[in-house]
Amino acid sequence: MNGKGVLIFLHGSGGNGSEVRSYLESLPLPKYGYNTFGDVLSSWNIDLYTPTARERRYSACYGERMNVWFDRSPNFQEEGLATAEDTAGVDQSIDFLHNYIQDIEKSKPFDYLILGGFSMGGGLALHSYRREIHPKLQAVFCISSWASDPSTLFRDPLSSHRGLPLLMLHGESDGLIYCDWGRKTSAGLLIRDINVIFYTYPHVDHEIVPEELGDLLVWIKDLQESSIDANTRSTALQQRMEAKYDALAKDVIDSTADAPVGQRACRVPIADDPAESKTSGSKSSRASAKAEEKEENAGYTCIPECLPFKVDVPVLSTTATAASAVQGRTFALKEVIVRFRMEAEYVPLLLARPVLACGSMFEVQDDRPNGVKVRVTSPDVEKTAYEIGRRLFIRLRSESQSLNPCAPS
């Protein structure tokens, strides 16, 4: 990949392009020797574009009108990999991307294109292997993304992009799009002979963290410098990424057993004890969530007692005009200030960047001496506050070597 580049980063459900761009251009990456993700792309002669999906009713969020690339079932988390795909919505967004990229090229010609995104945005990018996006597309990536088993991605003929490299990054503690879903999606794509790398991150929830962006930059740089065709991963990149690519687990190995010999994906590493390598993150996270939901305390959302803070969610206003109906029930958006009350020593660890939760980005504000606060607009403020609290706790746990609020006394 030489010359002028374009990277399109697609937002998740309920987000928008401006939020993603702001996040990518403000999140520091000091551990990787970079200023921000956006700064690095500029220095590499790559222009960053972050389009916004059109507004439509999103069944998975009470039918609210949101910026989403396609629809999801209201029960998609319970249905899991068996949930139906909104193929019509996917194809509409693919058509939008096709025209969007053509408009970019008319105004500012480029030599190669990288397409990817977070959550639903990454899920849409995966469909470039089924639908032709642009002849200059050279690589695809996704963060915390997946495709369900009935997806046309696993059934329809593949496009001319089928040989392009694919990087899939996923947090092992993702409580919205389970890591196991991403893992099985990568397995299904391997079976179809797509050149995929699946990379996981301990203690990372449904969010974009510096480690993921750092590895994404390593991947892009390797593709830029490699003299090998863009459709083939370099040995250096494969060795670098597979150092953390523990195993696709026994169920993935089994899923390739009936495939033609040429598509059994010998690249898949087999664990020493496949039975022990089976990922239980999805089941354990669900069990943990149910246990946490039982803990109720008047005036607070359901936050585990071991967390170093409490959450206060007073309702400021209810927007009646934003009400919508799903399955005969009416919901109204509520605007709240969520206060996370904690010791002052924890606050600086939470202010460095916004928090991604429930498909949207929320700014964490200093509220000392009480802690931090977040402004939230949601039809279910308790659920949203809980998700934000979980992500803040994971950030505390991962960014402070000495902090372990849940350690036994």
Side-chain angles (χ1 to χ4, degrees), residues 105-215:
E105 190 169 35
K106 289 178 183 177
S107 62
K108 200 170 184 180
F110 57 87
D111 297 300
Y112 66 90
L113 167 69
I114 301 171
L115 176 66
F118 171 68
S119 193
M120 180 182 283
L124 179 65
L126 290 176
H127 280 271
S128 62
Y129 289 98
R130 180 180 67 88
R131 289 279 310 274
E132 182 81 26
I133 293 288
H134 193 277
K136 293 182 180 179
L137 181 63
Q138 292 292 294
V140 181
F141 69 90
C142 60
I143 301 174
S144 299
S145 306
W146 68 299
S148 62
D149 289 342
S151 173
T152 50
L153 190 58
F154 302 121
R155 297 184 287 107
D156 285 6
L158 297 179
S159 72
S160 60
H161 300 322
R162 64 177 302 156
L164 299 181
L166 168 62
L167 177 65
M168 297 183 68
L169 311 175
H170 217 119
E172 294 177 6
S173 298
D174 196 324
L176 182 66
I177 305 299
Y178 300 119
C179 187
D180 194 46
W181 297 357
R183 180 178 289 105
K184 289 181 179 178
T185 298
S186 70
L189 296 174
L190 271 172
I191 291 173
R192 300 211 72 180
D193 207 27
I194 290 176
N195 201 2
V196 59
I197 298 174
F198 184 73
Y199 209 7
T200 64
Y201 300 80
H203 310 305
V204 172
D205 205 324
H206 195 68
E207 56 185 333
I208 304 172
V209 298
E211 290 76 14
E212 290 172 315
L213 292 181
D215 288 336

Side-chain angles (χ1 to χ4, degrees), residues 15 44 88 91 99 126 135 140 147 149 165 175 181 216 230 241 245 267 367 369 376 382 389-390 409:
W44 291 352
D91 286 343
N99 295 330
L126 290 176
V140 181
D149 289 342
W181 297 357
L216 175 57
M241 302 302 283
Y245 188 45
R267 297 186 298 269
D367 194 35
V376 176
E382 291 286 317
R390 290 181 65 244
S409 56

Side-chain angles (χ1 to χ4, degrees), residues 17-27 361:
S18 297
E19 287 181 346
V20 170
R21 187 178 192 91
S22 175
Y23 186 79
L24 295 176
E25 291 182 342
S26 62
L27 180 65
M361 185 181 300

Side-chain angles (χ1 to χ4, degrees), residues 61-62 301-303 311 313 333-334 336 338 340 355-362 374-392:
C61 192
Y62 312 102
T301 193
C302 304
I303 296 294
V311 183
V313 285
L333 287 175
K334 297 177 181 178
V336 304
V338 183
F340 296 83
V355 60
L356 288 167
C358 299
S360 297
M361 185 181 300
F362 301 96
V374 178
R375 180 179 292 273
V376 176
T377 300
S378 171
D380 190 340
V381 295
E382 291 286 317
K383 177 182 177 181
T384 304
Y386 172 71
E387 289 299 324
I388 293 174
R390 290 181 65 244
R391 283 154 177 74
L392 292 180

Side-chain angles (χ1 to χ4, degrees), residues 358-371:
C358 299
S360 297
M361 185 181 300
F362 301 96
E363 182 182 356
V364 183
Q365 299 177 344
D366 195 334
D367 194 35
R368 283 178 282 193
N370 298 315

Side-chain angles (χ1 to χ4, degrees), residues 62-73:
Y62 312 102
E64 296 294 340
R65 295 193 66 83
M66 305 175 69
N67 298 116
V68 292
W69 299 107
F70 48 86
D71 199 15
R72 283 190 182 129
S73 163

Side-chain angles (χ1 to χ4, degrees), residues 237-250:
L237 175 64
Q238 185 171 351
Q239 291 175 345
R240 183 195 299 267
M241 302 302 283
E242 289 185 353
K244 289 176 62 179
Y245 188 45
D246 297 329
L248 282 179
K250 184 177 182 298

